[in-house]
Each structure stands twice: as C-alpha cells, then as structure tokens.
Amino acid sequence: MTQKNLALVTGANGHLGNNLVRLLLDKGIPVRASVRNIKNKEPFVGLDCEVVQSDISDKNSLVRALQGVETFYAVGAVFKLWAKDPKKEIYDVNLQGTQNIVEAAVQAGVKRIVYVSSIAALNYKQLPTKESYGQNPDRRDMYYNSKNDGEKLAFELAKKHNIELVAVLPSAMIGSESYGSLSVSYNIINLILKKEIPVETGITLNWIDVKDVAEGCYLAATKGVNGERYILANEKCTSIKDTTKIAQKLFPELKIKLPIAVPKPLLFLIAWFMELGSKLSGKAPLLSVKDIAMFSGLQQDFDISKARNDLGFNPKKSDIAIKEAMIYLHKQKGSH
C-alpha cells in the first residue's frame, strides 16, 4: 500500500537525519527511516515511523527502501575529515553512494530528492559566498572533494534521468539536544567545555541549529526550485576563540581559558605530531596539517538571501545555538 506523501530519510540515526525524522512526523508526514545497522533502534524509541535497513553503497537496498516513497531525503553519507585511506573510505563511498541514490530513486519512481550536500561544496574566493559562485576549487581534502564532485554528479544524473533534485548545503550543525553519538561539530563544543583546545588555530565555524537545518530540508522539499542549491547556514562565522568566550560567560565555574595564539609554523608542527600519533593509533587526529592549511583564517561567511527568499529559511542566531548546545552538553556530563 502506498501512503500519500511518504518520505524516506537515510542516515536517520544521525544528528541531522534523526532531527529531520522527528520534524516530519511533527508535521504529520508519514516517514520511513533508513539506517545502515537495523539493530540501532534507540534513536527511534517512541517515534511512529517505519525503520528499514539500507546502505548508500548497496543500490538494491535503496531501491527496496524507496518503494512507494514520494520525497527522498538523502542525508546519509560518510562524514569524516580523516581516514587511513581517504580516497577509498571517504571519496569513493560518497561518489558511488550519490550515483546509487539517484539511480535507485529513478528506479523506484520517487518524485523529488533533497540531496544533502555541504558548505564544503562552495567557493570561498569572494565573501560572503553564495550558491551562484559555483563549486569549491580547493582540492586538498578528500571529504571536500567528495561533496563537490558528489553534488555535481547528483545534478547531472538527475537531469539525465529527469528526476527533481534540490541540494541543501548545511554548515556546522549543533543544537539543544542530540540523538545518537556526538557529531563532528558538536564534538568541538564539547572539547571547548572539556578545556581541550589550548591553542588558537585561526579556524572559524559557521554554527547552525540542526533543527533549523531539518526545517530547511523540509522547505527545500516543498518550496525549493528543481536543480537549485540552497545554503543552510548563518550569515556570520564564529572563531573558536569567540565560541570559547561564550562558554566562559555561561560557566564561569569551569574556569575555561581562552586558546593561546601561537605562530603558524608551531601550529603546523603540533598538527604534524598529532598526525604521527594517528598513524600509530588509527584514530583521527584532533588537528591535521591539512586542517590548518585549508581552514586557518578561512571566514565561512554566507549570503543566505536565496534560502530566505525562496524557502522562507530563518535560522536562529549562531550565539543562541552555541549557548543551547553548551547547556545541553554540560547537562549531559552531569547526568552521566
């Protein structure tokens, strides 16, 4: 039986995916939530949705999950900035995954795909950057490359197969609660609270509430123009230092110190040692040489007028999102 306006959300146990499932259910939309590991039922406790198994690297599993689906929210992808073999573990998986996503949707007769891309796929040559400036020419990072090439491929395939596709490009998602494990962005807030960011890296983040991004995905599905891309972010980025200042004000009792400014060569040296440790441990480094080369001093400022005007996207300000995330994480720590 087909349900009218049934939505499929992949990566439904992730930070954005799970918030999106909840938002759609609140709006009375029937949701099928897809996860790679079906045993992981915890994020769906108390939610009235069907949970199915699919994996972007297995096209047949996607075709099965998409039966009777009208809107496909393609959230699931590999999101990591570090891997032992980044081409194989990040780039290849995301590119093949994108091809599978579009082809499976076509096969299943889906009407529209909301493809979750990333601000990694934007060109920062001129600030504030906007969608029309095209893809990111910086090719030093496999995750970034996978988002740029993946989004381009998604649009090409959608055009070829004549299926509607809208891309959304979220920035660093945090929020007043988290389901599942902490996301990469959330973890940075956590490190600040745990006083584990001692040096100023010159890295800025564009913080956004994950619930606003979920809302933006829904708006893209209902109001987005086919073949267009929409930035889901705040206008201004925030440095780690200013993010730390918010923590200082919120929790004076934690006595969090501001990160110390060090010369860039020393930063590179610190990062180099961290990477060396990672090669031995197999765990991602806190900081890599490439992170500093690519992101130190990069201002992630956006012109979000297109998402505001076309979609009615209206996110809460970054500092409010930061405060709410910090209060949430602080409470979690107390309750563990």
Side-chain angles (χ1 to χ4, degrees):
M1 112 175 193
T2 45
Q3 281 173 288
K4 203 178 146 14
N5 68 14
L6 177 64
L8 178 83
V9 178
T10 56
N13 54 345
H15 189 40
L16 172 58
N18 205 262
N19 274 286
L20 180 54
V21 167
R22 288 163 194 264
L23 174 101
L24 294 171
L25 290 172
D26 283 347
K27 292 186 187 289
I29 294 164
V31 177
R32 186 177 293 152
S34 137
V35 290
R36 268 190 322 191
N37 177 5
I38 195 80
K39 288 195 185 80
N40 184 3
K41 288 272 174 45
E42 204 186 315
F44 307 102
V45 172
L47 299 185
D48 179 20
C49 66
E50 185 190 351
V51 182
V52 299
Q53 194 279 334
S54 84
D55 190 325
I56 59 166
S57 59
D58 170 9
K59 187 158 96 182
N60 292 334
S61 73
L62 287 170
V63 175
R64 279 196 303 273
L66 285 164
Q67 292 309 308
V69 167
E70 202 172 280
T71 308
F72 175 11
Y73 292 93
V75 182
V78 176
F79 175 32
K80 50 182 183 184
L81 294 171
W82 186 85
K84 280 208 155 161
D85 182 348
K87 178 161 188 328
K88 197 172 124 216
E89 292 174 54
I90 301 172
Y91 185 86
D92 294 350
V93 177
N94 281 345
L95 265 279
Q96 186 57 56
T98 295
Q99 189 174 338
N100 291 342
I101 282 164
V102 180
E103 289 176 356
V106 172
Q107 228 173 300
V110 169
K111 261 173 71 174
R112 169 168 279 213
I113 302 169
V114 174
Y115 180 84
V116 178
S117 178
S118 160
I119 55 159
L122 288 165
N123 188 338
Y124 293 91
K125 287 277 181 282
Q126 198 184 328
L127 293 175
T129 184
K130 48 170 115 172
E131 294 91 347
S132 56
Y133 294 166
Q135 310 284 143
N136 194 335
D138 191 333
R139 301 294 293 177
R140 290 177 288 187
D141 179 88
M142 277 301 168
Y143 172 73
Y144 266 54
N145 295 352
S146 81
K147 292 319 263 189
N148 280 282
D149 299 353
E151 190 194 307
K152 215 164 90 199
L153 179 66
F155 279 126
E156 280 164 13
L157 290 169
K159 210 167 171 179
K160 177 180 149 190
H161 294 291
N162 202 14
I163 184 170
E164 288 188 16
L165 185 136
V166 178
V168 291
L169 291 71
S171 56
M173 293 178 273
I174 48 179
S176 52
E177 52 198 325
S178 174
Y179 310 98
S181 56
L182 283 190
S183 67
V184 176
S185 310
Y186 239 134
N187 200 34
I188 295 170
I189 301 271
N190 207 24
L191 290 170
I192 290 172
L193 293 180
K194 284 165 44 186
K195 308 188 215 183
E196 284 176 28
I197 303 191
V199 295
E200 175 59 74
T201 53
I203 293 174
T204 69
L205 288 126
N206 188 298
W207 301 112
I208 182 102
D209 190 308
V210 68
K211 289 189 165 73
D212 288 327
V213 175
E215 177 76 28
C217 290
Y218 168 73
L219 291 168
T222 48
K223 298 179 177 176
V225 178
N226 177 31
E228 293 293 330
R229 54 205 308 241
Y230 298 95
I231 296 170
L232 302 181
N234 265 301
E235 264 109 350
K236 289 270 176 232
C237 61
T238 312
S239 67
I240 299 276
K241 191 176 186 171
D242 287 339
T243 307
T244 307
K245 283 181 182 162
I246 293 174
Q248 284 181 326
K249 274 209 187 86
L250 264 184
F251 305 114
E253 71 279 10
L254 293 182
K255 299 188 168 42
I256 299 168
K257 289 189 172 63
L258 284 182
I260 303 155
V262 294
K264 220 169 189 176
L266 186 58
L267 271 184
F268 277 116
L269 192 65
I270 294 168
W272 185 80
F273 274 112
M274 284 182 171
E275 278 187 63
L276 197 62
S278 289
K279 284 199 177 78
L280 303 170
S281 72
K283 285 199 187 83
L286 196 53
L287 202 57
S288 74
V289 170
K290 188 186 61 209
D291 291 341
I292 303 231
M294 278 180 75
F295 307 120
S296 186
L298 175 70
Q299 298 292 309
Q300 298 189 352
D301 290 346
F302 303 107
D303 175 347
I304 61 169
S305 54
K306 184 176 170 186
R308 278 193 197 280
N309 299 338
D310 287 14
L311 307 179
F313 177 64
N314 187 25
K316 68 167 69 145
K317 295 270 181 282
S318 308
D319 54 340
I320 299 169
I322 294 166
K323 279 178 196 158
E324 288 180 356
M326 285 178 174
I327 290 164
Y328 169 74
L329 285 171
H330 192 60
K331 272 216 284 271
Q332 291 305 99
K333 221 167 55 194
S335 65
H336 281 183

